[in-house]
Amino acid sequence: MTPGGGGGGPMKDCEYSQISTHSSSSPMESPHKKKKTASRRKWEVFPGRNKFFCNGRIMMARQTGVFYLTLLLILVTSGLFFAFDCPYLSDQITPAIPAVGAVLFFFVMGTLLRTSFSDPGVLPRATPDEAADLERQIGNTEDIANGSNSGGYRPPPRTKEVVINGQTVKLKYCFTCKIFRPPRASHCSLCDNCVERFDHHCPWVGNCVGKRNYRFFYMFILSLSFLTVFIFAFVITHVIHRSQKTGFLSALKDSPASVLEAVVCFFSVWSIVGLSGFHTYLISSNQTTNEDIKGSWSSKRGKENYNPYSYSNIFTNCCSALCGPLSPSLIDRRGFIQPDTPQPAAPSNGITMYGATQSQSNMVGTIP
């Protein structure tokens, strides 16, 4: 049929179709602009205080100055070792020394970058719909009656309790992310994110250490301990070997870089080895740094207070922390923003529950 209702022919149908298509688009909503809006990624509007690189593939904390210092120390110390010590050691002792050093160096760099550039286990914030839904469930009639919902009012801390292996664990409510944090999660004040199995925020790697990158962090500090001891031991070997031929002072003059390497390694090895030993203890007991500092499972809190996450076996605890499946990221930082998708709510007095994803909803289902 034709739009005029008369006996129009095919030419009028064609003209109507062309006019309709042309008039449906305006200068304010051109197809080019619509495409640009649809292609915007979630990392561009991420609510936390993080920096993203490579179109969202790399995620780091905002404060990365100490991380660059870590890179500089490792690169300079290792570079001097390979440039000034390894040629002599390879020629006078064995070519295996630079080969082993290279393997350790690349493993250290790989685990460092993997720790620094990955999502540590950030939990997605609640959307306004989720916050409003829980507010309807809980209700705030008492707050309204008391007039306590005035501007600047901050509700008292809210908790829920779950039972894990016979131990009662409290889930705390996060006023920033508007979720009830799952067990072992905590909010990082520097990155402004709730992180699953939060261990600590490490400025040396420029990122939080949590569920998704803890194993890489541990392998980094452990391999860095071996690399530091390795370089220090063979720098001393180099100096002693030279001093036997030309004297100690002549050996130092012939290889001044060795002195710098020995000083850096000497003052670094104690803290690095100590940190590796501390995290080895945490892994063997299936604890986090956050739990150990707070004394969450200390016997001083009572005889019935015990770690419900421990398997009561050192080997099983280590396998659980280092060899278990790596959980997927929950924030989908490289996903595209849909025009009708609600964004995470800004901090307010509202309440929400831990239910931004299906896996989170299943966890909340266990809350009494």
Side-chain angles (χ1 to χ4, degrees), residues 2-3 11 67 99 112 117 130 136 145 218 221 256 308-309 311 343 355:
T2 60
M11 180 60 70
F67 165 73
L112 170 62
F117 293 167
E130 291 172 327
R136 286 192 295 268
Y218 176 74
I221 58 175
Y309 309 107
Y311 294 94
Q343 297 302 311

Side-chain angles (χ1 to χ4, degrees), residues 90-122:
S90 177
D91 181 62
Q92 297 295 324
I93 301 180
T94 173
I97 294 176
V100 174
V103 171
L104 285 174
F105 170 75
F106 285 112
F107 191 83
V108 167
M109 292 302 298
T111 52
L112 170 62
L113 298 180
R114 183 66 175 81
T115 304
S116 304
F117 293 167
S118 61
D119 167 22
V122 175

Side-chain angles (χ1 to χ4, degrees), residues 76-239:
V76 170
T77 306
S78 301
L80 292 175
F81 175 72
F82 289 120
F84 295 97
D85 297 284
C86 283
Y88 182 88
L89 295 170
S90 177
D91 181 62
Q92 297 295 324
I93 301 180
T94 173
I97 294 176
V100 174
V103 171
L104 285 174
F105 170 75
F106 285 112
F107 191 83
V108 167
M109 292 302 298
T111 52
L112 170 62
L113 298 180
R114 183 66 175 81
T115 304
S116 304
F117 293 167
S118 61
D119 167 22
V122 175
L123 295 168
R125 300 190 184 194
T127 63
D129 291 340
E130 291 172 327
D133 181 64
L134 191 57
E135 285 175 2
R136 286 192 295 268
Q137 294 180 32
I138 297 178
N140 53 2
T141 55
E142 294 182 0
D143 292 340
I144 296 176
N146 297 331
S148 58
N149 64 332
S150 58
Y153 170 72
R154 185 180 179 89
R158 291 176 170 82
T159 59
K160 287 182 176 291
E161 293 185 348
V162 295
V163 178
I164 301 176
N165 293 329
Q167 183 74 274
T168 300
V169 178
K170 290 184 178 181
L171 308 183
K172 295 183 179 180
Y173 174 75
C174 178
F175 289 93
T176 301
C177 300
K178 296 185 174 182
I179 60 174
F180 279 101
R181 293 192 290 259
R184 314 190 87 178
S186 185
H187 190 90
C188 176
S189 58
L190 295 176
C191 295
D192 200 26
N193 296 314
C194 281
V195 180
E196 278 192 292
R197 199 186 182 276
F198 179 77
D199 192 87
H200 69 290
H201 180 94
C202 182
W204 294 98
V205 301
N207 203 352
C208 288
V209 178
K211 184 177 182 179
R212 299 191 69 252
N213 64 350
Y214 180 79
R215 67 182 62 181
F216 303 106
F217 171 78
Y218 176 74
M219 289 188 287
F220 162 65
I221 58 175
L222 187 64
S223 59
L224 184 60
S225 299
F226 284 114
L227 179 63
T228 305
V229 172
F230 181 87
I231 292 177
F232 182 73
F234 281 103
V235 164
I236 299 300
T237 302
H238 178 201
V239 173

